[in-house]
Amino acid sequence: MQNAEQIVNGQKLFQKPEYQEVLANKKQFEGGMGAINPAKVQEIAEWTKSWDYREKNLAREAITVNPVKACQPLGAVMVALGFEDTMPYVHGSHGCVAYFRSYFTRHFKEPTPCVSDSMTEDAAVFGGLANMKDGLKNCAAIYKPKMIMVSTTCMAEVIGDDLYAFIEGAKDEDGGEFLPREYPVPYAHTPSFVGSHITGYDNMMQATMQQLTEGNEGEKKERINIIPGFETYIGSIRSVKAIVESFGANYIMLGDHSDQWDMPAGEYHMFAGGTKIEDAKDCMNSTATISLQKYATVKTMKMVQKRWKHKGGFSNPVGLKGTDEFVMKLAELTGKEVPAKLKTERGRLVDAMQDSYPYMHGKKFAIWGDPDFLIGVVGFLLEMGAEPTHVLCHNAPSGWEEEMRALLDTSPAKDSLHVWAGKDLWHMRSLLFTEPVDFMIGNSYGKELMRDTGTPLIYIGFPIFDRHHLHRYSISGYDGALNLLTWITNKVLDQLDEETKGIASTDYFFDLVR
């Protein structure tokens, strides 16, 4: 067993005889038809690789296996941590919040501040008013944030708790000691049983912008609001800011969590960076708003365009074309020429793409992730002559499937490229066995697919738990496209090395000069 003098990691610990004995003894408790018959297990395992099983699997509706999405409050927490000194407050059970904090902390390798009012069985019956009154007061008193941002979990939504009334009640009862009347507490209803984390991001961002700007309409400023969306690559936010700043533009990054999840070593602070609250309150007086993720900001941008009458719209700066469109949109909004710095960066990217094109051209890929992520990365794959054979989006919103189909139809290989909206990674397994590809692009949950099907996995997406520091890079802008190009091409070369290392049998290709 473990001892304090010599700590053994799990990989080696569970290989020890005493643990192997425990695992062997557990077999007697395993039941079910054929569960302890190795031959039957193998027979079923082989059947699950067939076209017959694939058709049954794709017809499945009543259950999800290995989902490629999270629930709404996760997105709401990301919004909160993008604003200055703001504490995410989730009205619901403590277990849900532990999951959100763990999910982000494992991906970013940074602490994730977030509180809950810990609703339990009695609150589920009588409502969570008492929990919220105590919770908001304690949050303000203990952590002293400048703003508290409230979202909900399933429990609060099922019983129909009224956030507005509860927050007002908490302020009234507190008497202004910790929660003055003017203290900002934006809130959004984020039921986990509807939509996904990008829906929660949209609901929270729209509610925050609307509630903070209420009554603040004033003189318009020549300024651009940038909304990053559910962005899990810290470097992408910094790349976008660098592009905007190269134009000398006045801008607000609404929901800038790039510092919160990338703190330097030293003294720990609960909060870091984020959009200044005074800027957020004034954002409606900008002249333009650009959302970098269309499907993560549908509700938000509808308000911006219809109520605030802002110019801008959507722009997904991933890949060469996507970045070009973003740069040209900035040129249009600012009335300025594209800076020489950006032209140089673009030229370097094009040169690199020409170098790597022969290695990516014709390679077949399976890819999964969020809708905006997929639009960007699939577009880049097509620019490199690759074939995105299976494009799977579990949380595909209305209109996404048609947009992706139109994008794939620009490829000469369009008839063999497939869109899978609303499917999960167990569906993907069937697709990989019946219509194999050369590589997969996706998050850490693809590891078992890689082991099961033998298809190499390129780690790009969210969440990535079992690799370090990838989230610090950018996948946006010209530098981000270069990162994508580097990761993908080098994985192709790694695989080529694996396939040509047999001495005097397969070693006929070496990209080396001695």
Side-chain angles (χ1 to χ4, degrees):
M1 297 294 182
Q2 285 279 30
N3 62 76
E5 286 72 33
Q6 186 175 8
I7 301 296
V8 180
N9 66 30
Q11 184 263 328
K12 294 183 178 179
L13 179 68
F14 293 104
Q15 298 298 321
K16 289 189 171 185
E18 55 267 37
Y19 283 99
Q20 289 296 304
E21 182 181 354
V22 170
L23 293 174
N25 290 339
K26 287 174 64 178
K27 290 289 185 182
Q28 64 182 298
F29 301 106
E30 295 180 359
M33 180 60 183
I36 55 175
N37 182 341
K40 189 66 176 178
V41 169
Q42 184 61 33
E43 176 189 341
I44 298 299
E46 288 303 312
W47 174 63
T48 62
K49 303 174 184 179
S50 68
W51 278 87
D52 178 50
Y53 180 80
R54 165 179 160 153
E55 296 308 311
K56 292 178 172 58
N57 191 14
L58 291 176
R60 165 171 52 90
E61 295 180 356
I63 189 171
T64 294
V65 183
N66 207 352
V68 198
K69 62 178 181 178
C71 56
Q72 282 206 46
L74 187 82
V77 169
M78 175 176 278
V79 173
L81 291 175
F83 288 83
E84 174 189 33
D85 294 339
T86 297
M87 178 63 81
Y89 179 110
V90 183
H91 180 50
S93 69
H94 176 73
C96 293
V97 175
Y99 156 67
F100 307 142
R101 293 176 62 186
S102 170
Y103 214 72
F104 280 133
T105 296
R106 291 167 68 200
H107 175 81
F108 291 109
K109 309 297 186 284
E110 293 279 358
T112 299
C114 182
V115 300
S116 162
D117 50 22
S118 300
M119 292 173 65
T120 52
E121 290 85 352
D122 57 342
V125 176
F126 301 110
L129 176 59
N131 295 68
M132 181 161 285
K133 285 180 177 180
D134 289 342
L136 287 175
K137 180 177 68 175
N138 289 338
C139 179
I142 295 170
Y143 302 110
K144 298 178 174 56
K146 291 183 179 178
M147 181 164 69
I148 299 173
M149 202 173 285
V150 178
S151 56
T152 56
T153 65
C154 298
M155 183 190 297
E157 291 298 322
V158 168
I159 62 179
D161 279 355
D162 185 336
L163 292 184
Y164 173 76
F166 283 15
I167 293 168
E168 289 298 299
K171 288 185 174 182
D172 289 341
E173 183 175 89
D174 181 65
E177 181 181 359
F178 297 107
L179 293 172
R181 174 57 50 188
E182 66 277 9
Y183 188 90
V185 186
Y187 63 90
H189 290 274
T190 54
S192 300
F193 44 79
V194 178
S196 71
H197 54 283
I198 64 169
T199 319
Y201 181 96
D202 193 15
N203 285 337
M204 193 77 251
M205 181 60 76
Q206 186 272 336
T208 299
M209 291 170 65
Q210 178 181 327
Q211 293 165 30
L212 289 182
T213 59
E214 189 171 353
N216 290 338
E217 186 173 4
E219 185 178 349
K220 289 292 184 181
K221 300 176 175 67
E222 286 297 326
R223 185 177 62 197
I224 304 170
N225 300 326
I226 308 287
I227 306 176
F230 191 86
E231 181 54 74
T232 58
Y233 282 88
I234 296 301
S236 286
I237 296 177
R238 293 173 180 158
S239 291
V240 168
K241 289 197 287 188
I243 292 173
V244 179
E245 288 166 5
S246 71
F247 279 90
N250 185 16
Y251 76 100
I252 300 173
M253 182 66 74
L254 283 168
D256 181 359
H257 50 263
S258 57
D259 289 338
Q260 178 65 46
W261 277 309
D262 195 20
M263 294 188 194
E267 183 181 356
Y268 174 71
H269 297 278
M270 184 72 69
F271 310 109
T275 307
K276 292 186 179 301
I277 295 176
E278 57 263 33
D279 287 342
K281 290 181 176 180
D282 192 52
C283 69
M284 73 181 302
N285 295 318
S286 299
T287 54
T289 298
I290 301 175
S291 167
L292 306 182
Q293 293 189 1
K294 176 168 69 174
Y295 294 104
T297 56
V298 174
K299 187 176 179 181
T300 302
M301 290 302 289
K302 188 175 292 185
M303 178 191 73
V304 166
Q305 293 172 333
K306 292 187 179 297
R307 294 188 188 176
W308 296 358
K309 310 298 182 184
H310 281 196
K311 299 178 290 183
F314 301 100
S315 187
N316 189 336
V318 177
L320 178 64
K321 182 181 178 183
T323 304
D324 283 349
E325 290 175 351
F326 178 60
V327 168
M328 295 313 295
K329 186 178 288 289
L330 289 173
E332 175 189 345
L333 292 173
T334 61
K336 297 181 180 180
E337 289 290 325
V338 175
K341 172 180 177 289
L342 294 180
K343 292 179 180 179
T344 300
E345 287 185 11
R346 185 185 192 279
R348 288 172 177 157
L349 172 61
V350 171
D351 179 71
M353 291 170 70
Q354 291 172 331
D355 293 339
S356 301
Y357 192 88
Y359 295 95
M360 282 182 63
H361 179 271
K363 291 292 187 293
K364 297 180 183 295
F365 290 84
I367 181 170
W368 63 88
D370 285 340
D372 294 291
F373 166 82
L374 290 171
I375 292 292
V377 178
V378 168
F380 176 72
L381 291 174
L382 293 172
E383 290 172 347
M384 292 301 298
E387 299 178 11
T389 305
H390 301 299
V391 182
L392 185 147
C393 186
H394 196 169
N395 54 340
S398 174
W400 177 86
E401 186 173 4
E402 292 75 13
E403 182 176 358
M404 179 56 72
R405 184 67 263 169
L407 183 60
L408 295 179
D409 284 346
T410 63
S411 169
K414 61 182 180 180
D415 292 338
S416 62
L417 309 184
H418 310 292
V419 184
W420 304 99
K423 302 301 182 183
D424 56 42
L425 288 187
W426 190 252
H427 292 119
M428 177 63 86
R429 179 181 180 275
S430 285
L431 301 175
L432 292 172
F433 274 121
T434 52
E435 293 182 88
V437 298
D438 299 306
F439 299 92
M440 300 184 293
I441 295 176
N443 59 25
S444 290
Y445 292 116
K447 178 180 280 189
E448 293 305 322
L449 288 177
M450 176 176 64
R451 291 174 171 175
D452 202 5
T453 68
T455 311
L457 172 63
I458 303 170
Y459 283 84
I460 307 174
F462 173 81
I464 294 178
F465 296 147
D466 55 334
R467 295 293 184 272
H468 280 221
H469 310 305
L470 293 176
H471 68 277
R472 300 180 191 273
Y473 289 83
S474 172
I475 65 169
S476 297
Y478 298 122
D479 59 332
L482 185 57
N483 287 333
L484 290 173
L485 180 67
T486 302
W487 298 336
I488 297 170
T489 304
N490 284 336
K491 189 66 175 182
V492 172
L493 292 171
D494 285 343
Q495 189 63 21
L496 184 60
D497 285 343
E498 282 298 306
E499 294 172 356
T500 58
K501 66 181 182 181
I503 298 175
S505 58
T506 63
D507 58 341
Y508 302 123
F509 184 93
F510 289 94
D511 201 359
L512 297 172
V513 176
R514 293 188 181 275

